Amino acid sequence: MTQHEFVNRVLPIRDKLYRLARRILNDNDAEDIVQDVFYRLWARKGEIGKYKSLEALALVITRNLCLDR
């Protein structure tokens, strides 16, 4: 996945990830969580093609990071 593909596929779901993190955490850490999700997705950019839904993967990562926090 190139940087251009990442921007076109991941950035559109940013608001959905933020809303999920905000709903779980009820504080201002939601922005940090979303940034961590973007980092983890970028680190896995070579494996993203294995997943049917990038959005579902991002939501699961978001949920797990929120629960860990």
Side-chain angles (χ1 to χ4, degrees):
M1 173 177 281
T2 65
Q3 183 179 1
H4 181 69
E5 291 172 333
F6 184 84
V7 168
N8 288 333
R9 293 182 66 197
V10 176
L11 288 184
I13 61 173
R14 176 182 54 209
D15 291 336
K16 188 179 275 191
L17 300 176
Y18 177 77
R19 286 191 306 268
L20 174 64
R22 183 86 176 163
R23 191 172 358 169
I24 293 172
L25 296 175
N26 290 326
D27 61 13
N28 294 327
D29 287 339
E31 291 177 10
D32 293 338
I33 293 292
V34 173
Q35 185 175 2
D36 288 344
V37 171
F38 286 167
Y39 173 76
R40 288 172 188 243
L41 287 173
W42 182 252
R44 291 183 176 182
K45 66 184 174 189
E47 303 171 11
I48 288 181
K50 296 178 185 177
Y51 299 97
K52 288 184 179 181
S53 173
L54 176 65
E55 182 176 340
L57 175 63
L59 289 169
V60 168
I61 293 171
T62 302
R63 183 198 65 202
N64 290 342
L65 287 173
C66 288
L67 294 175
D68 286 346
R69 182 144 314 177

